[in-house]
Amino acid sequence: SNIHRLTLDKWTNYVLSDDDLNFIETIKNQFNHINDYCEKAQVGIVSAANEYFILKNSEIRKNRLNEISDLIKPILSKGSVLPNVLDYTSTDYLKLLEKDEKVSFIQFPDTAEINLGKIAVDYIKKGEEFKSDGKGELNKRYKMTKRLNWYHVPSVWYSVGVFVKRSHLFPKIIVNSANSLATDSFYRLKTKEDFNIKNLAFSFYNSLTFVLAELEGRFY
């Protein structure tokens, strides 16, 4: 009986009855979208080489990058690293550091090597010799060649909240009190001036959001 429906994909048309789907659609249309509350809702940082730019604390020390700490920024690399919290804080970040998780991002400035110190240049040289999965040196990868300086990752900005792109039991919006960066495993959220990220995150966890995630989310 649902074969006429055009709004859903593939077999998700048939998960519920026509009456159920019409009921959900009626409720859905009474509410706003995330973009109505957010100044920005964009995908996270695309480094093009997370294995190089995002490191464990032990790797930071091994490469002496801790001596140029102004280049090291906290980052969320993937959803599975996040603790089971609604509000990700600096304490949570420090615990992940202690566990030697990959939560440190190297943010090289968009400037020539001559303006950088020896430690930074040494690590940049490692990147130019780095090979993994047969992709060749980092500076020759496609995305790197589009940059003025291959080691400078663009579109780096902090968000007040993050939406986890790949979820297990249910989708998540997390308040980013740790002021951490986030990779493209997340969407970064910056609320409009009149709205509060904590209210948005709290309001997100409801049965309508979850059923729409099941019906409209992308399945793997």
Side-chain angles (χ1 to χ4, degrees), residues 40-51:
K40 283 185 178 181
Q42 296 177 358
V43 72
I45 296 166
V46 179
S47 75
N50 284 353
E51 67 272 36

Side-chain angles (χ1 to χ4, degrees), residues 143-161:
K143 285 187 181 294
M144 311 299 193
T145 61
K146 299 298 179 182
R147 300 171 183 172
L148 179 62
N149 296 289
W150 73 264
Y151 44 81
H152 171 73
V153 179
S155 187
V156 173
W157 53 273
Y158 294 92
S159 59
V160 294

Side-chain angles (χ1 to χ4, degrees), residues 24-212:
I24 291 168
E25 190 74 15
T26 299
I27 299 175
K28 170 187 169 182
N29 290 336
Q30 296 173 20
F31 295 96
N32 295 327
H33 294 121
I34 287 286
N35 280 336
D36 293 314
Y37 303 105
C38 290
E39 182 181 316
K40 283 185 178 181
Q42 296 177 358
V43 72
I45 296 166
V46 179
S47 75
N50 284 353
E51 67 272 36
Y52 175 79
F53 289 105
I54 301 175
L55 302 176
K56 300 177 180 179
N57 203 27
S58 58
E59 294 169 327
I60 293 286
R61 295 184 179 279
K62 180 181 177 182
N63 291 283
R64 296 178 59 202
L65 295 168
N66 55 302
E67 297 178 30
I68 47 174
S69 57
D70 57 317
L71 298 187
I72 308 302
K73 311 296 181 185
I75 194 168
L76 288 167
S77 57
K78 53 187 177 180
S80 59
V81 170
L82 270 172
N84 190 27
V85 295
L86 186 60
D87 189 358
Y88 178 67
T89 67
S90 296
T91 301
D92 296 314
Y93 165 68
L94 291 174
K95 287 179 180 178
L96 293 176
L97 268 183
E98 289 172 7
K99 289 171 63 178
D100 212 25
E101 295 281 1
K102 286 182 172 287
V103 289
S104 296
F105 173 68
I106 311 166
Q107 188 179 6
F108 290 113
D110 197 10
T111 186
E113 289 182 32
I114 195 170
N115 299 319
L116 302 171
K118 183 179 185 306
I119 294 173
V121 171
D122 285 348
Y123 193 68
I124 288 170
K125 295 301 181 190
K126 280 189 177 182
E128 292 170 351
E129 298 167 359
F130 182 93
K131 292 186 179 182
S132 70
D133 303 326
K135 293 180 180 178
E137 300 89 336
L138 292 186
N139 57 309
K140 295 180 182 177
R141 291 186 184 178
Y142 176 76
K143 285 187 181 294
M144 311 299 193
T145 61
K146 299 298 179 182
R147 300 171 183 172
L148 179 62
N149 296 289
W150 73 264
Y151 44 81
H152 171 73
V153 179
S155 187
V156 173
W157 53 273
Y158 294 92
S159 59
V160 294
V162 293
F163 173 78
V164 185
K165 279 176 72 175
R166 299 175 183 87
S167 55
H168 173 39
L169 296 177
F170 53 88
K172 296 178 182 179
I173 282 183
I174 307 294
V175 177
N176 183 21
S177 292
N179 203 27
S180 180
L181 298 170
T183 69
D184 57 342
S185 290
F186 303 86
Y187 284 101
R188 296 171 288 179
L189 305 177
K190 182 179 180 183
T191 47
K192 293 179 180 176
E193 189 174 336
D194 293 339
F195 299 105
N196 184 293
I197 185 60
K198 290 187 176 181
N199 293 344
L200 180 62
F202 181 80
S203 302
F204 178 81
Y205 294 91
N206 63 77
S207 55
L208 179 62
T209 296
F210 283 10
V211 75
L212 289 172

